[in-house]
Amino acid sequence: MGVALTRSAQWTAAGHGAKTLEVTPLNEAIVKEIVMFVESFIYKYPQEANYVFVEPLEWKTNLDPSAFGSGYAVSGTTVKSEEVDKNGEPLLYLSVPQIKIRSFGQLSRMLYIAKSMKLKEAQACIEANTNPVAKVLGLDYNIINEKNGNSFVSSVLDKMNKDDDPEREIKMKIALQLKQLDLHLLNHSLKHISLEIRLNSGTVKNDIELLKQFSGKGEQTVLESIEYTSDYEFSNGCRAPPWRQIQGEICYVLVKPHDAEILCITCSKEGVFLNGGKTDDEGQINYERKGEIYKDLVTLLKEKSAIFSENMSKQEVKFSEQLQKDQPNKAPNEEVAVTHKTSITSRRSAQEKNRINLGRSQLTKRLEPSLNWRTSVSSKDRNTLRDTQVEKHGGKLEKSRSSLSPGRAQLMRKSVEKIEEIISDSSSESEEDEEQPDHRQEANADLPSEYWQIQKLVKYLKGGNQTATVIALCSMKDFNLAQETCQLAIRDVGGLEVLINLLETDEVKCKIGSLKILKEISHNPQIRRNIVDLGGLPVMVNILDSPHKSLKCLAAETIANVAKFKRARRVVRRHGGITKLVALLDCGKHSAEPAQSSLYETRDVEVARCGALALWSCSKSYANKEAIRKAGGIPLLARLLKTSHEDMLIPVVGTLQECASEENYRAAIKAERIIENLVKNLNSENEQLQEHCAMAIYQCAEDEDTRDLVRLHGGLKPLASLLNNTDNKERLAAVTGAIWKCSISKENVTKFREYKAIETLVGLLTDQPEEVLVNVVGALGECCQEHENRIIIRKCGGIQPLVNLLVGINQALLVNVTKAVGACAVEPESMMIIDRLDGVRLLWSLLKNPHPDVKASAAWALCPCIQNAKDAGEMVRSFVGGLELVVNLLKSENKEVLASVCAVITNIAKDQENLAVITDHGVVPLLSKLANTNNDKLRRHLAETISRCCMWGRNRVAFGEHKAVAPLVRYLKSNDTNVHRATAQALYQLSEDADNCVTMHENGAVKLLLDMVGSPDEELQEAAAGCISNIRRLALAIEKARYS
């Protein structure tokens, strides 16, 4: 934290010289990252969380002593933690308003207690402890002045070898963790700053390159030499170190004028200035400013060198006349009216035009060459230099298209619960929650010649006749329109508006040429947004009705590119585009019977392919999925799925796998017998097609019938064989996802065992991305439900990698891995391995996880661990604070968490000593509060817990006093036999107390229990009969007492 806090954080001096953090977005982001690190520390590094600081972290707090609960001794205005160090000193001590904390564990708990105030508390702590590392580890471990990560690690290791400190190992771990946090904060700060500050690296770089052209030994050169101090250039064009970029600095140059010593100059976003130069001993730069700031390099050098100023003046006189002749190379700044023989009218209001022109003029101004060189470089030299720049840096102007398919993003966000995008017509779809604008660098002052040539062609588009327009469109198409510079050239001079207006003409050739260009440039996110802003999508939707198939194809492909964000998809739907795109899929509609020659005729197939491509992009939203279904898209997609054209199959399967997230679609897919064709295409040679078919099966396999269909059509074997190819991670994630869902059915698990898929899955537990691991562990969790598979996993060495995954932070992965570990723990041999690897402690620590699903899954996994551990009672007691943690979880509002915790307590309470401890922690009143529930799963486990807890002291009486008996009687009216059994056992234990018998009798328990005495379940019979017997004995005793 040291380097980040001193170099990245923005400090200000407040009264009496005390430093405080400025209120800035960067500081807020840094504090949030530190809070996240400390909050997760207690369960990510439980051993290190108990380490006691060398000196306490102390600051003024706004926390109230009443906010501290169990684990703390509260007395008036002071609070002491029950957790103490070896000298008996509390690790947290609060004496309002001062607070002292001496461990990460207490820091984490304090943030949890602070809740909404945790950011303020963290900021107060940082401001009061500007060198926290020294306080945590001691002055010898101070890393504030460390710059090199390798030297830091070496110094720490040397310290460990020489030091006799018994805590040296844990100190080293914490020091490395803090160093990692430091690096993370620096990188995070740099990313944050890069989004806010526009470093004009392009202009600076261009000025330096031009100065190099006019430098050398001759008398007419302006400088002897100019060079960078660093050869490494970052992706944002800067050469300054990251911690200096945060200060706005771009690069450092060494300049040797003819008449002065070498100048070391800093170029920053604020201007250029002389710095302290390079140090003699280490060669490091003294970044401190030595003099005033100049607006650019030329101005500074004119001030420092008379020869530079004189030679630059000669250059200006020499080239001034030539520069005036170079007017055609300037970017046009005025709009030219579009005058075609075919009338083209604009659809935008004057206000919208002014807004668009204003933005365009600003962009044009930003992309013009630097004015500093207009009077110093000839037209010929400028063209030569421009060609040189294109050769050197042309590759950087390329912006590669995204290769991520429309359905793949869905796989990356899979979790235990399905996440849906529900957007209705009446919802807030108008909000701009679309793709964020891409943050581009300032364009180089010298742009490629293509930029200006394209802008000249746009002028012909605006003012030429029909023939000139077609020629201009053809010429424009010959440029590399995938290059961002070419795309921006069209946009900046108003070419998009012209291209969209051309779509409203009656000339087919003009439409085709315009659509071909729009299709290419619409891969750019900014161009997509501009097309929607200019009203281009409704025009393209209307073209879908054209009788010309080429126009239909181009319009549909362009819509597919543009409809990558929500607003565009909504526009397509509201202008009837979904219905028209679905109609394109019916490529055999003109024939009475879809014969092969008609159905797969080349042009018809291409039209259907483009329609499917557009539907794939549009199918991201719920409203569009419904529109596709209502327009009859499913039967047509099913029909196209039978083709052998892979180019057609990929968008068709992609659309199906997007839509299969909805239950209505899954039912229709099953009815249309689509699963058979999905399985068939798993055997294709095309990896992308295999991926989307597997992804579609993953979505559809939520239903049991679909899982059976996959097995019956032979889909399990190709899925198992695809596991062996691990190079394509996206396909591997889709395949493992399909295997996971198919494994929910036991019959499928048996097949996977035959195909040796379980052994392969175990091998995928290491060195895989998280989206793959989630699915692999999910599949193993399902397979572990059978005894044979648990043995296979253990023999293949799968227990250790599963336990290793318990320390992760991915919620979906933790849910699946806890389920798998819990299933393996059913086997005593596997349980021994889990215990040896400290797996039970890791599971217990997950009970502190903030996500309810993780807590519940961890609790369910602990049940078999406790049942099968050798000395379960002692093992549970060895976890410091473990029993209190479990009891406190009964305060949760999540039903699944409550049911799982009740199951854990049932197993814990089998040990009398543990039962006594949890009774002291108040388990009886907490269980009693849960009695009034209608959830049968919770009822069952709650009744079992109450039954077990009745076996200690006067707990039976306490349950009666806390009104838990009457609600339990109502459980007997449930339709679940498991609830009946657990409730009867609980009532039997409670009936040992006379007052409880009276309560049962008053609430009609006898009649309900009499019906259960005849149950085929022997345990239920015995418990019901025992309870009735106790009630009857009490009644006889009362009767006897009355007559005696």
Side-chain angles (χ1 to χ4, degrees):
M1 292 185 290
V3 178
L5 291 179
T6 54
R7 293 179 177 169
S8 300
Q10 297 161 337
W11 296 87
T12 183
H16 306 291
K19 283 187 175 182
T20 59
L21 288 171
E22 292 182 0
V23 181
T24 63
L26 174 60
N27 281 347
E28 185 179 351
I30 290 175
V31 173
K32 283 183 179 178
E33 290 296 316
I34 293 174
V35 167
M36 289 173 61
F37 172 80
V38 175
E39 278 184 324
S40 61
F41 198 97
I42 193 169
Y43 61 85
K44 286 176 69 176
Y45 313 108
Q47 184 179 359
E48 290 83 348
N50 295 325
Y51 166 78
V52 180
F53 299 163
V54 174
E55 293 179 33
L57 298 178
E58 184 176 0
W59 70 94
K60 287 185 178 181
T61 180
N62 292 318
L63 292 178
D64 191 274
S66 60
F68 292 81
S70 58
Y72 298 93
V74 182
S75 175
T77 59
T78 63
V79 177
K80 294 182 180 179
S81 65
E82 294 178 359
E83 192 176 359
V84 296
D85 62 12
K86 59 184 179 181
N87 297 322
E89 293 292 327
L91 297 184
L92 182 146
Y93 178 78
L94 168 63
S95 179
V96 177
Q98 292 293 122
I99 187 171
K100 297 180 180 179
I101 294 181
R102 299 185 62 186
S103 76
F104 280 110
Q106 288 297 329
L107 266 180
S108 182
R109 294 186 183 97
M110 182 276 297
L111 291 176
Y112 177 79
I113 292 169
K115 295 180 180 177
S116 60
M117 298 170 59
K118 59 187 177 183
L119 289 179
K120 291 183 179 179
E121 290 298 318
Q123 181 173 340
C125 177
I126 292 169
E127 290 173 349
N129 303 274
T130 55
N131 192 355
V133 179
K135 289 193 172 185
V136 172
L137 299 172
L139 291 174
D140 292 338
Y141 294 85
N142 184 11
I143 60 173
I144 286 183
N145 296 321
E146 290 285 353
K147 297 179 183 178
N148 189 311
N150 294 328
S151 64
F152 162 73
V153 174
S154 300
S155 63
V156 169
L157 290 174
D158 291 339
K159 169 71 181 167
M160 293 299 105
N161 293 330
K162 297 176 182 177
D163 198 351
D164 294 330
D165 187 353
E167 293 183 326
R168 60 182 181 275
E169 183 178 353
I170 196 168
K171 280 187 176 183
M172 181 177 69
K173 290 181 180 178
I174 293 175
L176 292 174
Q177 288 154 6
L178 292 179
K179 185 64 177 179
Q180 289 298 321
L181 172 64
D182 211 22
L183 294 173
H184 171 71
L185 291 177
L186 282 172
N187 290 329
H188 186 77
S189 302
L190 184 57
K191 290 177 183 177
H192 194 277
I193 290 294
S194 67
L195 297 178
E196 297 182 344
I197 298 176
R198 288 300 178 193
L199 299 176
N200 198 358
S201 57
T203 302
V204 171
K205 180 178 180 180
N206 203 57
D207 288 354
I208 294 171
E209 294 298 327
L210 283 173
L211 281 171
K212 286 183 178 180
Q213 296 289 326
F214 295 95
S215 298
K217 296 295 183 180
E219 293 181 357
Q220 300 300 318
T221 57
V222 295
L223 297 168
E224 281 190 15
S225 66
I226 178 171
E227 59 183 7
Y228 293 104
T229 60
S230 171
D231 294 329
Y232 182 80
E233 181 178 337
F234 289 86
S235 60
N236 59 3
C238 298
R239 294 173 186 257
W243 58 86
R244 301 305 299 179
Q245 288 184 36
I246 291 173
Q247 309 300 325
E249 295 178 2
I250 300 171
C251 65
Y252 313 97
V253 289
L254 295 174
V255 179
K256 179 62 176 76
H258 289 289
D259 55 346
E261 295 296 322
I262 293 177
L263 306 175
C264 190
I265 300 173
T266 297
C267 301
S268 73
K269 67 181 183 66
E270 298 174 354
V272 298
F273 54 85
L274 290 176
N275 55 45
K278 284 194 173 184
T279 59
D280 294 332
D281 49 349
E282 294 181 0
Q284 298 293 323
I285 293 176
N286 180 0
Y287 300 112
E288 185 177 356
R289 179 163 61 89
K290 304 290 184 181
E292 61 179 323
I293 300 176
Y294 296 84
K295 65 177 182 179
D296 54 36
L297 266 173
V298 175
T299 306
L300 183 148
L301 291 172
K302 281 184 177 180
E303 185 71 22
K304 300 297 180 182
S305 171
I307 294 179
F308 177 88
S309 180
E310 179 183 350
N311 288 348
M312 279 299 296
S313 298
K314 292 179 182 178
Q315 297 282 15
E316 288 172 5
V317 173
K318 181 179 179 180
F319 297 129
S320 58
E321 293 181 1
Q322 294 291 336
L323 189 64
Q324 292 176 358
K325 297 178 182 179
D326 195 34
Q327 294 302 318
N329 283 341
K330 283 184 61 180
N333 293 323
E334 296 180 349
E335 292 288 328
V336 183
V338 180
T339 53
H340 272 228
K341 290 182 180 180
T342 336
S343 103
I344 304 175
T345 59
S346 175
R347 299 170 305 285
R348 282 154 300 283
S349 64
Q351 182 179 3
E352 289 176 323
K353 281 188 176 182
N354 291 336
R355 175 174 59 80
I356 293 166
N357 289 340
L358 175 62
R360 187 176 297 131
S361 66
Q362 291 172 347
L363 282 169
T364 305
K365 182 178 179 181
R366 180 169 67 83
L367 295 171
E368 285 180 352
S370 173
L371 296 176
N372 299 333
W373 297 98
R374 287 199 167 184
T375 58
S376 59
V377 184
S378 70
S379 173
K380 180 179 178 181
D381 290 339
R382 180 164 55 250
N383 289 334
T384 303
L385 182 60
R386 183 180 299 139
D387 293 338
T388 304
Q389 293 294 320
V390 171
E391 289 175 3
K392 288 183 179 179
H393 307 293
K396 294 183 181 179
L397 295 170
E398 289 280 334
K399 183 175 182 180
S400 61
R401 302 180 187 177
S402 172
S403 61
L404 191 65
S405 60
R408 191 168 301 158
Q410 185 179 27
L411 187 61
M412 304 307 175
R413 61 176 186 270
K414 285 201 295 289
S415 61
V416 175
E417 295 181 356
K418 179 180 66 177
I419 300 174
E420 300 177 341
E421 177 195 9
I422 300 177
I423 306 167
S424 63
D425 290 334
S426 60
S427 69
S428 58
E429 245 189 326
S430 60
E431 296 177 2
E432 290 293 320
D433 56 344
E434 311 168 349
E435 293 180 356
Q436 294 298 318
D438 56 334
H439 300 281
R440 295 189 300 273
Q441 304 290 326
E442 292 282 346
N444 284 348
D446 267 344
L447 290 163
S449 58
E450 291 90 339
Y451 184 89
W452 311 114
Q453 293 170 17
I454 287 177
Q455 292 201 342
K456 290 178 185 177
L457 290 174
V458 174
K459 289 170 60 179
Y460 290 117
L461 284 180
K462 290 179 177 181
N465 56 25
Q466 178 183 334
T467 304
T469 299
V470 174
I471 293 172
L473 289 171
C474 294
S475 300
M476 195 178 294
K477 183 68 177 65
D478 290 337
F479 284 93
N480 181 11
L481 296 179
Q483 191 174 351
E484 188 177 25
T485 307
C486 297
Q487 297 166 354
L488 296 181
I490 295 172
R491 184 190 69 175
D492 294 345
V493 77
L496 280 179
E497 191 173 358
V498 179
L499 291 171
I500 291 171
N501 283 339
L502 284 173
L503 298 181
E504 293 185 318
T505 67
D506 296 330
E507 296 298 327
V508 176
K509 291 181 179 179
C510 291
K511 288 183 178 180
I512 291 175
S514 177
L515 282 172
K516 284 184 176 180
I517 294 170
L518 288 171
K519 183 187 79 170
E520 293 297 326
I521 66 177
S522 58
H523 288 285
N524 186 306
Q526 286 300 296
I527 301 292
R528 289 200 284 263
R529 294 168 64 87
N530 294 140
I531 290 173
V532 176
D533 292 338
L534 294 171
L537 275 179
V539 184
M540 295 178 198
V541 169
N542 291 334
I543 292 176
L544 296 175
D545 291 327
S546 170
H548 296 277
K549 294 179 181 179
S550 298
L551 277 177
K552 288 181 179 181
C553 290
L554 290 169
E557 282 190 281
T558 310
I559 290 172
N561 292 339
V562 176
K564 294 294 177 68
F565 59 100
K566 188 167 74 173
R567 182 158 60 94
R569 293 193 289 268
R570 185 176 65 252
V571 171
V572 174
R573 183 179 71 252
R574 289 185 176 176
H575 286 83
I578 299 297
T579 304
K580 294 178 181 180
L581 288 170
V582 169
L584 297 183
L585 302 180
D586 193 6
C587 53
K589 62 184 178 182
H590 298 299
S591 59
E593 184 176 342
Q596 290 294 101
S597 59
S598 173
L599 182 60
Y600 300 129
E601 198 271 324
T602 306
R603 286 192 177 182
D604 289 337
V605 170
E606 183 63 16
V607 170
R609 185 193 71 83
C610 295
L613 204 61
L615 287 174
W616 190 5
S617 294
C618 291
S619 61
K620 299 288 184 183
S621 71
Y622 174 78
N624 284 355
K625 291 174 186 177
E626 280 299 296
I628 294 171
R629 186 177 63 83
K630 291 176 180 178
I634 300 178
L636 293 173
L637 289 169
R639 182 179 172 190
L640 293 175
L641 200 56
K642 298 175 182 177
T643 180
S644 59
H645 296 267
E646 287 185 352
D647 290 341
M648 167 80 80
L649 287 171
I650 290 173
V652 168
V653 177
T655 306
L656 285 171
Q657 63 103 8
E658 281 289 344
C659 295
S661 60
E662 303 300 323
E663 188 174 352
N664 290 337
Y665 267 93
R666 292 199 292 271
I669 286 172
K670 187 168 56 178
E672 292 290 338
R673 303 181 66 180
I674 290 176
I675 300 298
E676 180 180 354
N677 289 298
L678 291 176
V679 169
K680 174 186 173 184
N681 287 311
L682 283 175
N683 295 307
S684 167
E685 295 296 324
N686 188 302
E687 291 189 2
Q688 191 179 7
L689 180 57
Q690 290 174 339
E691 175 192 337
H692 293 304
C693 287
M695 187 63 197
I697 292 172
Y698 163 79
Q699 294 285 4
C700 296
E702 296 282 348
D703 303 320
E704 184 179 358
D705 291 342
T706 301
R707 295 194 293 269
D708 293 340
L709 287 172
V710 173
R711 183 181 70 256
L712 292 173
H713 291 300
L716 301 181
K717 189 169 185 178
L719 284 174
S721 63
L722 287 173
L723 286 176
N724 296 313
N725 189 338
T726 59
D727 295 334
N728 187 333
K729 299 301 180 184
E730 289 81 7
R731 184 183 64 175
L732 184 62
V735 169
T736 51
I739 290 175
W740 173 18
K741 295 302 179 182
C742 289
S743 298
I744 298 173
S745 296
K746 291 184 178 180
E747 296 85 354
N748 291 346
V749 172
T750 303
K751 286 290 183 182
F752 283 132
R753 187 167 64 243
E754 292 177 9
Y755 301 141
K756 307 294 183 182
I758 297 174
E759 292 88 339
T760 310
L761 287 170
V762 171
L764 294 174
L765 286 173
T766 54
D767 301 326
Q768 296 298 333
E770 283 190 344
E771 57 268 17
V772 174
L773 286 174
V774 169
N775 298 333
V776 170
V777 177
L780 289 175
E782 297 297 336
C783 294
C784 281
Q785 304 305 314
E786 296 184 5
H787 172 72
E788 295 89 344
N789 297 335
R790 291 194 289 267
I791 294 175
I792 292 172
I793 292 172
R794 174 168 54 82
K795 290 183 176 179
C796 291
I799 304 295
Q800 182 163 352
L802 284 173
V803 172
N804 292 341
L805 291 174
L806 289 172
V807 298
I809 58 174
N810 183 297
Q811 180 186 350
L813 179 57
L814 287 175
V815 169
N816 285 352
V817 76
T818 47
K819 180 178 179 180
V821 171
C824 290
V826 173
E827 298 291 327
E829 295 85 353
S830 298
M831 180 56 214
M832 291 175 61
I833 300 173
I834 293 170
D835 192 18
R836 188 175 68 249
L837 296 171
D838 215 10
V840 181
R841 181 183 63 81
L842 293 173
L843 285 171
W844 211 287
S845 67
L846 289 176
L847 296 178
K848 304 173 186 176
N849 193 285
H851 300 290
D853 293 339
V854 177
K855 288 180 184 176
S857 188
W860 288 122
L862 282 171
C863 293
C865 291
I866 298 172
Q867 289 172 1
N868 294 287
K870 280 189 175 181
D871 191 355
E874 184 60 35
M875 178 188 72
V876 170
R877 285 192 295 276
S878 68
F879 302 131
V880 178
L883 292 174
E884 183 182 4
L885 171 64
V886 171
V887 173
N888 286 334
L889 285 176
L890 292 174
K891 299 174 184 176
S892 172
E893 296 179 357
N894 185 284
K895 293 291 189 292
E896 188 69 18
V897 171
L898 291 172
S900 60
V901 170
C902 285
V904 172
I905 293 175
T906 301
N907 287 284
I908 290 173
K910 292 177 182 178
D911 182 89
Q912 289 294 301
E913 190 173 341
N914 289 338
L915 178 54
V917 173
I918 62 174
T919 301
D920 292 340
H921 284 308
V923 72
V924 172
L926 289 173
L927 290 172
S928 301
K929 286 181 182 179
L930 301 177
N932 288 297
T933 179
N934 296 321
N935 185 294
D936 276 346
K937 189 173 186 179
L938 176 55
R939 281 177 166 182
R940 172 193 171 184
H941 293 287
L942 177 60
E944 289 176 351
T945 307
I946 291 174
S947 173
R948 182 63 63 179
C949 289
C950 283
M951 299 178 184
W952 178 259
R954 59 184 303 276
N955 283 357
R956 292 186 180 89
V957 178
F959 279 119
E961 292 172 351
H962 286 89
K963 312 295 183 186
V965 179
L968 278 174
V969 174
R970 293 194 291 273
Y971 291 8
L972 296 174
K973 298 178 183 179
S974 169
N975 295 323
D976 191 334
T977 306
N978 292 322
V979 175
H980 294 166
R981 184 191 313 110
T983 304
Q985 291 171 340
L987 291 176
Y988 170 66
Q989 293 294 333
L990 290 168
S991 65
E992 298 289 337
D993 177 67
D995 292 334
N996 291 343
C997 288
V998 173
T999 305
M1000 293 177 202
H1001 190 272
E1002 289 174 348
N1003 285 275
V1006 175
K1007 182 179 179 182
L1008 295 168
L1009 288 169
L1010 282 171
D1011 293 337
M1012 294 178 186
V1013 171
S1015 170
D1017 188 323
E1018 292 184 2
E1019 291 184 8
L1020 175 56
Q1021 282 183 14
E1022 186 177 349
C1027 186
I1028 294 172
S1029 173
N1030 288 338
I1031 295 172
R1032 181 60 182 156
R1033 285 198 194 96
L1034 177 63
L1036 290 173
I1038 293 173
E1039 193 74 19
K1040 183 177 179 181
R1042 181 185 301 173
Y1043 287 105
S1044 61

